[in-house]
Amino acid sequence: MRKGKSRPEIRKNECNGDWDNCKLSQLADRVTRKNTGLESLLPLTISSQYGLVNQIKYFNKRIASKNISNYYLIKNGEFAYNKSSSDGYPFGTVKRLDLYEIGVLSTLYIIFSLKEGNVDSDFLAAYYDTNYWHKQISERATEGARSHGLLNISAGDFFDTELMVPKDIKEQEFIGTYLKKLDELIALHQREIEKLGCMRKAMVDKMFPKEGEDVPPVRFKGYKGKWRFCEFSEIFIERHKIDTISEEYPQLSFTIEEGVIRPENRKTNKRDFLILDKANKKYLQTEYDDIIYNPANVVFGAIHRNALGKGCVSPIYKIFLILRILKLGILPEITPL
């Protein structure tokens, strides 16, 4: 939804009505029920990434008080607002309870249930995953009044915030269902990625010789020879070419987590040790498949392969060319690697 517009750019053909501003109080009611009868012993917390989750599993310890009878009781399908700002979430987080039937939350949270027929639950869950509601919070939160990242906004002011929603609840349902299916697909692929990551780690452990041995437990069919120790200089040769940034050799950045990336994609990170010699405009040239070593890391430094291609990086790095790229077969013993 573009600013000042009352209709989205993309929508289903049968959806043609305007969107409207509604106060949250028109769509939801505040929930203040207490856990006086200890109906639930499950303390919850809000994760910006995972939603409402088991507090003990998430933090690996219990944060909640021993006596949780005075905590709010939240039920499946209800929403909670965490007023604590965090990295990437300056105005807090609103999440729906999906993973459990019931749980308890600190009274610092604002909990609400939806009025039947006024708004689609999946649509609202998706809406609060955007930043469209942030301006409404910023206008109501007391300027600069934060305690350990906790926004100073009352429940009354929170329910006074306005949301832009389709007048036709059918369109809300279309949007909510579509985005929910995308979330499920992403979660499915994420689980597959995690499985592949575990498989890769297990294979790395098996495909390299253990300390004191010269053959790995698992290897490709047809390879029977022993592994050997070799000098670094047998495999790599250092690049020393210093040049200026050009169209052919653009500036590249180097991060501990991501390796070689474009500067415009660079994330702000205190462990990103990129240092540019801007005064002399001197950079080291690098090519695709080079090994780049950053010696500035606290313990052992960081090593990544250049998977982008031609470029220039800071002269503090060490750049190495793999010898077998220059002359295939120079070290036949390592070719299977």
Side-chain angles (χ1 to χ4, degrees), residues 21-29 115 118-119 159 161-162:
N21 281 320
C22 295
K23 289 183 183 283
L24 179 60
S25 57
Q26 297 174 254
L27 308 175
D29 294 310
K115 294 180 178 179
N118 283 23
V119 65
F159 280 94
T161 58
E162 293 184 344

Side-chain angles (χ1 to χ4, degrees), residues 86-310:
S86 59
D87 188 25
Y89 300 88
F91 298 102
T93 311
V94 178
K95 293 293 180 181
R96 182 178 62 187
L97 180 58
D98 293 327
L99 298 177
Y100 310 99
E101 284 303 313
I102 198 167
V104 297
L105 280 171
S106 163
T107 52
L108 291 174
Y109 293 87
I110 298 174
I111 302 174
F112 59 93
S113 61
L114 304 186
K115 294 180 178 179
E116 190 174 348
N118 283 23
V119 65
D120 179 71
S121 182
D122 288 334
F123 170 83
L124 197 65
Y127 186 90
Y128 277 115
D129 277 338
T130 72
N131 59 6
Y132 294 132
W133 55 281
H134 288 182
K135 186 173 184 292
Q136 291 287 313
I137 299 294
S138 68
E139 289 174 350
R140 290 161 175 79
T142 305
E143 185 69 25
R146 297 177 184 226
S147 175
H148 303 291
L150 193 67
L151 288 165
N152 189 0
I153 181 169
S154 68
D157 284 339
F158 177 69
F159 280 94
D160 190 57
T161 58
E162 293 184 344
L163 297 76
M164 178 71 83
V165 299
K167 291 181 179 179
D168 187 351
I169 197 165
K170 272 294 181 185
E171 184 170 9
Q172 297 178 27
E173 292 170 357
F174 284 141
I175 294 170
T177 301
Y178 178 76
L179 294 177
K180 185 179 181 181
K181 287 180 178 178
L182 282 181
D183 287 338
E184 290 170 352
L185 186 60
I186 290 168
L188 177 64
H189 284 290
Q190 187 61 46
R191 286 194 292 271
E192 290 300 318
I193 290 170
E194 289 171 1
K195 287 180 183 177
L196 289 172
C198 291
M199 182 188 297
R200 183 186 186 280
K201 184 179 184 302
M203 292 310 297
V204 166
D205 291 340
K206 295 290 185 181
M207 296 179 74
F208 285 81
K210 298 184 184 302
E211 188 174 353
E213 299 179 1
D214 53 16
V215 292
V218 175
R219 62 198 317 186
F220 289 108
K221 187 177 179 180
Y223 294 104
K224 297 179 180 179
K226 295 179 179 180
W227 288 36
R228 68 178 178 86
F229 281 103
C230 50
E231 295 289 335
F232 188 85
S233 58
E234 292 182 67
I235 304 175
F236 301 99
I237 185 170
E238 189 173 358
R239 286 191 192 273
H240 294 285
K241 188 171 182 181
I242 293 179
D243 209 335
T244 56
I245 293 172
S246 65
E247 188 174 339
E248 184 180 7
Y249 286 88
Q251 180 186 343
L252 300 179
S253 184
F254 182 95
T255 70
I256 302 302
E257 294 82 3
E258 299 172 273
V260 182
I261 61 171
R262 305 284 181 196
E264 58 267 24
N265 297 332
R266 180 179 169 210
K267 294 179 180 178
T268 303
N269 193 306
K270 64 182 179 181
R271 290 179 292 169
D272 183 345
F273 294 107
L274 177 70
I275 298 176
L276 302 177
D277 187 357
K278 293 183 178 180
N280 298 317
K281 296 183 179 179
K282 292 179 180 178
Y283 301 86
L284 277 173
Q285 276 192 1
T286 177
E287 305 277 349
Y288 181 79
D289 252 350
D290 280 350
I291 301 299
I292 301 180
Y293 171 59
N294 176 1
N297 197 12
V298 179
V299 185
F300 302 112
I303 297 176
H304 282 284
R305 179 176 68 92
N306 177 0
L308 284 182
K310 293 181 177 181

